[in-house]
Amino acid sequence: MPLRALVYGDVDLNLIDGSAIWVQGMVQSLARAGCEVTLVLKAPVRTGRLVDPLRGLPGVTVHSPHAAGRIPDHAVMVPRWAAGVLAELDEADPFDLVVVRGRQIAAKLAAGPLAGRLWTYLTDVPQHPAEFTGAAFGELRRIADASRMLLCQTEELRCFMESAVPATAGKSVLFPPVVALPEGLEPRAEGAPAGRALKLVYTGKFAPRWNTYEMTRLPARLTVDAEVHMIGDKVHVDPGDPGYAPRMQAALESAPGVVWHGGHPRAEAMRLTAACDVGLSWRHPSLDSSLELSTKLLECGLLNVPVVLNRTPMHERLFGADYPLFVATEDDVADALDRVAKDPELYALAAARCRAAAEDYTLDASSARLAGYLADAFPAADEKVLAAGGGRKLRVGIAGHDLKFFTRLLDYLNSRPDMEVRVDHWSALRVHDPAKGEELLDWADVILCEWCGPNALWYAERKRPGQRLLVRLHRFELYADWPRKLAIDNVDKVICVSPHYRDLTLAKTGWPSDKVVVIPNWVDDKQLDRPKLEGAEHHLGFIGLAPSRKRFDLALDVLEELRRDDPRFTLFVKSKLPWDYWWIWQKPEERAHFEEAFRRVRRSPLLSGGVVFDDYGRDVAAWLRRIGFVLSTSDDESFHLAPAEGMAAGAVPALLNWPGADTIYDTRWIHRSTTEMAQSIADTVRLGRWDADRRDGRAQVRAAYGLDEVCAQLVDALAGHAPADLGPAMMR
């Protein structure tokens, strides 16, 4: 059966603006991705220009609480009422996902029965750290906790939210604006305008910061004949400037060269745009820091109409730093328009850039993107899993004191329709509620102990006949006494994260070889796959510098070697500092190691200005956008996830040959010394190999350690279908 989606935006669909267009695009994309969609309207329908096209889509139901008598026709539906309407519809026939736009309504739903199924699209959030109050942070954290997905319009917004509200990390995905040509509408014919007035066009609301009044003065400012076509009927009332609305209205009605078309359905607005030559999206500088992307920009691109707009990092990424229609002032706008009107090649360049930028925002691209998210959130049932459960859902118990290395795996297991999952979360390594454990033993078909510690010993002593027990063993436990005490005959599989640690485990414990298998650590490759920031090829990354066996001092050796020839190389360290770990800082040898390293950072001429310490946090994916190489200089690692995360993020890994490194990573990334590592990094940049190497690394990590691959292996293990030597071939 198709998934059922409930959609609500805190948006009046009687008015054409970016928010209303978002609702249209979301409904169209969900329907094309295979969902049955119910759209709930905020306002009574006074014009069908935006709603009618949706009513005609297969599988789409439009519900108006006003028409149904739920809300008085004269009343605006406030968030509290909207939350009640959505809950009532869901209670009558539950939905699989609830897509909601608007912070206030999302906050209401986060405390109600729809929590956990929310796919929340947030735009009305603080977009600068200084704007985050305690109340705003708390509300956004609650929304994030209640959301299955957080849909972000741009990469910039996603990264900012992950940094400001850590609870959004791992849940934030991209849902950029959706643009689609109405049926039968052709893009503007190629070529610069000739033999007539230059036609400028603006679509949307008329407001001070959108510079719409200034746009009406452009025909009189240009040295070529021009007219500006204005489409829309929403004139902003500005409390700070009571004269703005009448002044704007008068300009629309009577300014020389202005053609005001009023409000129109989206299809007609796009037809009018296609008949013009240049779009206007020039705004007040106060909007330059916006983390949102104008839908009208992309519509113009799809229509082959170049756009005048502000120069921002986001716009430079989309259109290129040398785009010819970047402007700042009204004089800039007039100059740019005069240039493209007189230079056909410049006009053609601008149109081509806009057209190329719009290609990733089509309805086809959007529906494919959503289909991928839906497949991740709602995996299909597997007959072998149901068979392992005796024809019903397989009952899976997870037990452990610290699930930080298991979070995404647990999310995945919880999302499967063929499994039921319960967690016995120990409050500390040795602190446990036996009653909760006994309850899990009575219920579960299979139990997985995260860490081979007291939890594994407890369950191995008590597991019932026919019940399967799996234990995930990490480096920490291997050097403790718990494996020696484990009743291995009662354990079906011990899972290690690398072949090297499997071999060490067998050597130290003497366990039967068929008991110990490999399922590697997972890498959230989809979340980490983000565009790089400028200059990344000269940026080294180092994640987690404590304890001293991570060998931060060797990373400094690499940096010094590189900066002798090229001072652009910089080392970024994302980590807690060693004194934040009391059990590390209390050891004299650890303290001496780091005191010497930090003295060196301060005193070395080559390191001066070349080391940046960034806060520890969950925003690793955003941080990795600036990193071109991820270093692993440790004395010893069981797996070392940092290089793999860097590879998924499009960075090149650089490892020293710690024991077992070659069983996890391709030997091309492994170096015999810091000098060899530095030379390889320098050559990779100097010879122009960085892009090719990072593409190779990303492909390798997806195939070996991608989240989907590791989840599939874990499901096989839980269902009892794992071979003795579990796991794909490591990188070769």
Side-chain angles (χ1 to χ4, degrees), residues 354-411:
C354 289
R355 190 168 58 249
E359 289 176 355
D360 288 337
Y361 302 89
T362 63
L363 183 57
D364 284 343
S366 175
S367 58
R369 187 179 290 112
L370 272 180
Y373 298 155
L374 291 166
D376 289 341
F378 301 98
D382 189 326
E383 288 300 323
K384 69 174 179 286
V385 176
L386 295 172
R392 53 159 171 75
K393 290 183 178 182
L394 182 67
R395 295 172 177 171
V396 178
I398 308 296
H401 74 289
D402 181 356
L403 303 180
K404 64 173 176 284
F405 297 126
F406 203 75
T407 51
R408 296 307 302 276
L409 299 178
L410 182 58
D411 289 343

Side-chain angles (χ1 to χ4, degrees), residues 579-593:
W579 47 82
D580 293 325
Y581 301 97
W582 64 266
W583 61 94
I584 292 175
W585 197 241
Q586 70 179 356
K587 298 177 181 178
E589 67 276 14
E590 290 284 334
R591 184 178 297 199
H593 171 88

